[in-house]
Structures are given as structure tokens and as C-alpha cells.
Amino acid sequence: MGPTERRQRRGAQKRLLEACVRLEVHLESGAGELRSLQSWLRSDPDVRRTAMADVRGSAPRPGEMGTTLDMLQLVTGNGWSAASFVLALVAWRQTRPQRPRVEIHRGDTVIVLTDCSPEEIERATRALDAAAGEDRDT
């Protein structure tokens, strides 16, 4: 592959990444639960088809050494469904002995799942869909 083809490929990859949606999922529990959630989402056909999930760390706080694995980052593409994602999160949470509080961050939007009632699920889905609409408008 020549330099021109490499530049074209990098440009296409950059445009694809810019069109993607990034979500961060934070749990009140540790990295083991994040990895469990990552595995669960990767096994869900709807989520797996439209998103990539990676456990990520943050910069160390003062007095800490190294990074802390504290979030699951999802990068979604076309065909992503907020409802499928929220339902997959709720299903995973119901399998946990200690049902952790889940925070979903999408830009300035923060959604919190605590009891996963039908009202909370609907509210989370609406908030994620609204954030997607704002992304398209900008």
C-alpha cells in the first residue's frame, strides 16, 4: 500500500470514528464487575453488532501509582439502539448478587440506574436517544 492509499484509509477511519458515539459506563464496584459487564455486552448480539466495549482506566489521583480501571467505554456505530443497550445493562445487573449502581455518561448527559424500574429504564432510553438527537444536530 502506497502513501496515498494509507492517507485515504486514515481519513476514512477518522471519519468513521467521528460518526461514532462514545459512552462511558461507571459502576460503584471494581474492575471485576466492569469486565463481567464487558463480557456480557460482547455476548449480546444486538450490542456486539453495533458497539465495541473496552475497559479503560483513568489517570492516577494524587498519591496513587498507575491507572485505575474504572469505566467501560463503548464506541457505537450505525444501527445502535439505546433501548437494546439499556436492556442489556439491566439484564446484566439482575445477574449480580450485589446489584451495583450504574452510571452512563454520554457527553454532558449522565444517566443513573439504581432500581431498574420500568420508569427508570424508559427514562434512560429517552435520555440516550435525546443525546443522540443532539449529536446529529451539531
Side-chain angles (χ1 to χ4, degrees):
M1 179 181 327
T4 302
E5 290 170 316
R6 280 194 293 273
R7 275 194 302 277
Q8 289 172 339
R9 178 177 274 177
R10 279 193 302 268
Q13 288 171 338
K14 182 178 179 185
R15 284 189 300 280
L16 178 63
L17 286 174
E18 288 170 352
C20 290
V21 173
R22 287 179 176 74
L23 301 170
E24 293 179 2
V25 178
H26 299 263
L27 303 176
E28 64 184 11
S29 46
E33 290 291 272
L34 283 170
R35 292 202 188 283
S36 170
L37 176 56
Q38 176 187 31
S39 176
W40 183 275
L41 292 173
R42 285 180 174 173
S43 70
D44 183 289
D46 290 332
V47 176
R48 183 180 62 236
R49 184 172 29 84
T50 60
M52 294 183 327
D54 290 311
V55 175
R56 299 287 172 121
S58 62
R61 295 181 185 124
E64 293 180 347
M65 296 178 63
T67 60
T68 304
L69 296 176
D70 64 355
M71 79 168 139
L72 181 71
Q73 183 181 55
L74 261 69
V75 178
T76 68
N78 291 338
W80 179 78
S81 163
S84 291
F85 170 68
V86 171
L87 290 175
L89 273 177
V90 168
W92 169 81
R93 189 177 174 277
Q94 290 173 342
T95 68
R96 312 318 298 160
Q98 302 288 314
R99 294 186 175 152
R101 178 177 183 267
V102 178
E103 280 187 17
I104 307 162
H105 297 248
R106 181 172 180 178
D108 293 335
T109 303
V110 178
I111 298 115
V112 178
L113 298 174
T114 55
D115 64 2
C116 295
S117 65
E119 296 81 15
E120 191 175 67
I121 292 168
E122 185 176 331
R123 208 170 26 251
T125 301
R126 277 196 321 264
L128 286 172
D129 282 339
E134 290 170 10
D135 289 349
R136 284 190 291 272
D137 293 342
T138 57

